[in-house]
Every structure is written in C-alpha cells, then in structure tokens.
C-alpha cells in the first residue's frame, strides 16, 4: 500500500516551517524496531513530518494514537509520519485498525498531568471519567524518568504494585502482571500521576501497545 510520497515531501517541508514556531503534538508511538532503522527508536513518540528510514532487515511498527491505525512497515524504504497514518515509499506496508483510546494523543505531557489532577479530585463525584481507557489488562507505562513506579487501584482497596522503572517504559505484560477488567487505577512516579481505567471487555495477553499505553511524562 503506497502513498502520495511526493505530496508528502512538500507537506513535510511546510510542517518543518511550522515546527520552528511550535513543536507538533506526537502522532504515534513506536511499538517495535528491528534491523537497520534510523529516525526512530522503540517507545519513541513521533510527530507529523518526521522521517524514518529503513535499511536492510528494517522493520518499524507504529501505533497512531488518534486514528488507532496500527502499521507494520518493513524492507528498505522511507516512512513519513502523518497525523493519522504514514506515507510509505518503497517499503512494504501493512496496517489495520485496533482498539485504543483516541483521546490520548491530546493528553501527552503537561496536559496528561493536568487532566489526571482533575480526575483525581472528581473521582468521588463520578462526574468525570478517567482520562485514558486501556483495552488490554497489562498496561505499558511510558515514562522519561527512573524511580519507583506505583500503580494502585482507586475503586477497590488492596491492589497495589511497586516496581523499579527505568528507560522509556515499563510493560506489565513482560512482568506477567494483569490488572482487573473494569478497574480504575492511578500510576505515579515522583511528581507525575495519571489516572486510567481498564475497559470491562479488555483481554489478557499480548495486544498492540497503543491500546495499552499510559503516558507518565
């Protein structure tokens, strides 16, 4: 599946000019990288106009946060990140829609912290839902800091996890840990705190990261 590559190059030049005035909001999370790939690393957030180049054996998997578009791009070629999906030149492209919370793209960084604070204050009033809904039982907590990561359930007492977070993320699936479907939780690390809810129909086991993603930055 190929895109209008030349048109995207023109668009990316325009975006580069806009980027001088303001940094574009992240569009997708890099879920996997294999082989020779430049311009993206595992668990990076990539922005519209960003260029990713694939060399021999190169594979990159992108999860778009707004469109819930899940892409696997492989082979030698070039990828230009879009707002909701990629433009691909030469490389092989496979994509499908997955279940994710499409609002999470607007809750990255400071907005996530502010939204979580609002939710924490209003949980008892049941007037505002948690800011992120996950569709897998094992969250992936994206964090730029190292330290003690605490995940605790808010609607039922007694469920609490404390783990050492390092690098870019902590994946509960790799730790063979599943939360409870329908539960409301808070993830905190140092001064950062985000509230999220596990969808009642969420299933255990592997699933795209974009559907299990909690941003704590």
């Amino acid at each position: 599946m190929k895109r209008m590559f030349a048109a995207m190059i023109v668009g990316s030049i325009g975006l580069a000019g806009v980027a001088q005035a303001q940094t574009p909001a992240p569009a997708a999370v890099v879920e996997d990288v294999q082989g020779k790939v430049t311009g993206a690393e595992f668990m990076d957030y990539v922005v519209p106009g960003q260029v990713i180049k694939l060399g021999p054996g190169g594979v990159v998997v992108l999860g778009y946060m707004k469109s819930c578009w899940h892409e696997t791009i492989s082979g030698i070629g070039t990828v230009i990140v879009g707002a909701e999906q990629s433009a691909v030149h030469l490389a092989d492209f496979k994509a499908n829609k997955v279940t994710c919370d499409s609002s999470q793209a607007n809750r990255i960084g400071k907005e996530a912290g502010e939204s979580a604070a609002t939710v924490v204050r209003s949980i008892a009033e049941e007037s505002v839902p948690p800011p992120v809904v996950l569709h897998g039982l094992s969250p992936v907590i994206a964090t730029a800091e190292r330290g003690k990561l605490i995940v605790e359930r808010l609607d039922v007492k007694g469920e609490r996890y404390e783990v050492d977070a390092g690098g870019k993320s902590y994946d509960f699936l790799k730790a063979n840990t599943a939360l409870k479907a329908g539960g409301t939780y808070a993830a905190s690390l140092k001064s950062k705190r985000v509230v999220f809810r596990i969808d009642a129909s969420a299933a255990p086991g592997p699933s795209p990261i974009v559907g299990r993603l909690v941003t704590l930055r």
Side-chain angles (χ1 to χ4, degrees):
M1 184 175 181
K2 308 300 182 182
R3 306 288 184 216
M4 298 296 292
F5 189 69
M8 285 299 299
I9 291 177
V10 174
S12 67
I13 294 173
L15 283 169
V18 175
Q20 294 178 359
Q22 61 180 13
T23 301
V29 60
V30 180
E31 300 196 13
D32 191 21
V33 171
Q34 301 175 27
K36 187 175 182 181
V37 176
T38 57
E41 297 181 358
F42 176 62
M43 289 306 297
D44 277 355
Y45 287 123
V46 291
V47 301
Q50 186 168 335
V51 177
I52 303 171
K53 295 183 178 181
L54 279 64
V59 179
V60 64
V61 178
L62 300 178
Y64 275 84
M65 293 178 287
K66 182 178 180 180
S67 64
C68 299
W69 201 241
H70 195 252
E71 304 177 345
T72 300
I73 305 159
S74 59
I76 298 174
T78 303
V79 180
I80 296 180
V81 178
E84 298 188 6
Q85 59 188 112
S86 301
V88 178
H89 179 59
L90 298 179
D92 294 327
F93 179 88
K94 296 180 181 179
N96 62 292
K97 289 276 189 174
V98 299
T99 306
C100 79
D101 185 342
S102 60
S103 71
Q104 65 178 310
N106 299 321
R107 304 181 186 275
I108 302 298
K110 292 182 179 180
E111 291 184 13
E114 293 168 359
S115 176
T118 301
V119 171
V120 169
R121 289 193 297 268
S122 58
I123 275 273
E125 301 172 1
E126 299 182 356
S127 59
V128 181
V132 179
V133 177
L134 306 191
H135 296 275
L137 297 185
S138 299
V140 176
I141 311 293
T143 175
E145 297 188 74
R146 296 177 179 270
K148 186 70 68 177
L149 171 65
I150 299 174
V151 174
E152 56 186 338
R153 191 165 179 178
L154 301 180
D155 55 334
V156 176
K157 293 182 179 180
E159 188 181 354
R160 178 184 172 94
Y161 307 90
E162 292 190 20
V163 299
D164 292 322
K168 294 183 177 180
S169 63
Y170 184 90
D171 190 345
F172 275 73
L173 182 63
K174 293 181 178 180
N176 296 315
T177 301
L179 306 188
K180 302 297 187 297
T184 299
Y185 296 82
S188 58
L189 176 62
K190 297 181 179 178
S191 62
K192 303 295 177 62
R193 180 180 173 90
V194 173
V195 175
F196 62 93
R197 179 172 62 84
I198 306 293
D199 187 80
S201 62
S207 61
I209 287 176
V210 71
R212 302 185 286 123
L213 183 64
V214 176
T215 302
L216 192 62
R217 294 189 173 185

